[in-house]
Amino acid sequence: MHRLHNFLLLLVLANLGRNALGSKIINGKKVDENSMLYMASVQNNRVHDCGGFLISEDFVLTAAHCDKSSLSVVLGTHDLRNVDDSMRYSVKKCKHPSYESIDKGNDIMLLKLSHKAQLGDKVQTVPLPSQDMDLKENEQCLVAGWGSTTSHGASVKELLQADVSIIQTDLCKEKWNDIIPDSVICAGGYGTDKGFCQGDSGGPLVCNGIAVGVVSFNKNLNCRYPDVPNVYTDISKFLPWIKMTLELNDC
């Protein structure tokens, strides 16, 4: 029975690249128009598909499993009904070289913008953590994104955020039956009714104003589950690669 349980969980992870894409914020609230100005809508064929966040004038950070053939990035609005061509950037995809699939980790990708983002009262960057970042259990953070507010629900156009708490790694691994990849952070989705769902992949986990994680996956398509935490890529583990890419200004 234990092996069967492991097998079923592996099947869940195998489908995450499809099922977790573009997660939605559950039980969140509308983001103030003057905050989180680093948020990016990563779009496929000009339709919102994933979240992302601006870390320099030239680069947006998102999840590797958000890779699609026709990506662009929209910056400078919390309302996707209010988008014009000046907000849209074509991109070059810089996927982490070790990424193979969502269940094996390394779910992180940089998008090099076609031209520098104009920073100002509508667009700002978000700082990244240090390599020795030490998140505390139950530390209050937030996750944000566009999308529906219930499982299988209709998407929303205005950016939402939800408060989530950091979950200790050992507990997270126990709840996931030790099959989650290395270099992840767990927060929300367990012991709470808040977290992400389908539509927000690639968005940031923000603690004390610092982007510490990238939305990676949850458990299948059920967004109101108390049994396993939400999983994020731990940005602190990928800082050398991020720094090298930004310095080269290319993939």
Side-chain angles (χ1 to χ4, degrees):
M1 183 61 71
H2 181 69
R3 289 183 178 178
L4 175 61
H5 183 59
N6 276 350
F7 176 70
L8 292 174
L9 281 174
L10 286 170
L11 285 179
V12 168
L13 281 175
N15 286 311
L16 283 171
R18 177 173 67 253
N19 293 340
L21 199 59
S23 319
K24 291 116 179 161
I25 297 301
I26 301 301
N27 288 334
K29 62 182 180 180
K30 192 166 87 169
V31 175
D32 184 89
E33 64 180 11
N34 296 316
S35 66
M36 302 189 77
L37 301 179
Y38 46 79
M39 287 296 300
S41 171
V42 178
Q43 304 197 348
N44 184 39
N45 292 317
R46 292 181 169 245
V47 176
H48 175 77
D49 196 50
C50 279
F53 44 105
L54 190 70
I55 62 169
S56 77
E57 291 177 317
D58 295 294
F59 284 93
V60 162
L61 195 58
T62 188
H65 78 260
C66 291
D67 184 14
K68 293 288 182 67
S69 60
S70 184
L71 289 185
S72 61
V73 163
V74 169
L75 297 170
T77 184
H78 286 355
D79 189 336
L80 297 182
R81 293 167 297 192
N82 299 325
V83 174
D84 60 46
D85 286 343
S86 69
M87 301 174 179
R88 187 177 302 278
Y89 299 75
S90 56
V91 297
K92 181 178 182 179
K93 295 175 286 189
C94 307
K95 195 185 302 184
H96 192 275
S98 297
Y99 177 78
E100 296 179 15
S101 60
I102 195 170
D103 57 304
K104 294 182 179 179
N106 305 305
D107 187 17
I108 191 167
M109 176 168 63
L110 283 161
L111 299 175
K112 186 181 187 305
L113 304 180
S114 53
H115 54 282
K116 289 182 181 296
Q118 296 299 308
L119 304 184
D121 58 359
K122 295 293 185 181
V123 178
Q124 289 292 330
T125 59
V126 62
L128 299 183
S130 62
Q131 282 188 269
D132 59 355
M133 175 187 69
D134 182 24
L135 294 175
K136 305 299 184 184
E137 184 177 8
N138 296 321
E139 184 171 340
Q140 292 295 302
C141 304
L142 61 87
V143 59
W146 291 271
S148 73
T149 56
T150 60
S151 301
H152 311 291
S155 62
V156 298
K157 296 299 183 181
E158 293 181 289
L159 183 65
L160 299 177
Q161 69 178 55
D163 299 325
V164 293
S165 298
I166 298 296
I167 296 169
Q168 205 269 341
T169 302
D170 288 343
L171 175 61
C172 186
K173 288 182 177 180
E174 175 188 334
K175 296 302 178 182
W176 274 98
N177 211 27
D178 291 324
I179 64 168
I180 59 173
D182 294 328
S183 302
V184 297
I185 298 170
C186 300
Y190 167 75
T192 180
D193 61 356
K194 294 182 179 181
F196 63 77
C197 184
Q198 279 58 52
D200 213 31
S201 292
L205 175 67
V206 180
C207 303
N208 298 314
I210 297 172
V212 302
V214 180
V215 173
S216 187
F217 61 85
N218 65 2
K219 187 179 180 181
N220 220 335
L221 295 172
N222 181 7
C223 303
R224 295 193 178 277
Y225 46 86
D227 54 338
V228 294
N230 291 169
V231 180
Y232 302 77
T233 302
D234 184 347
I235 293 173
S236 71
K237 302 298 192 295
F238 297 90
L239 289 174
W241 171 73
I242 293 172
K243 182 179 179 181
M244 179 186 69
T245 305
L246 266 60
E247 287 178 349
L248 290 174
N249 200 29
D250 202 357
C251 302

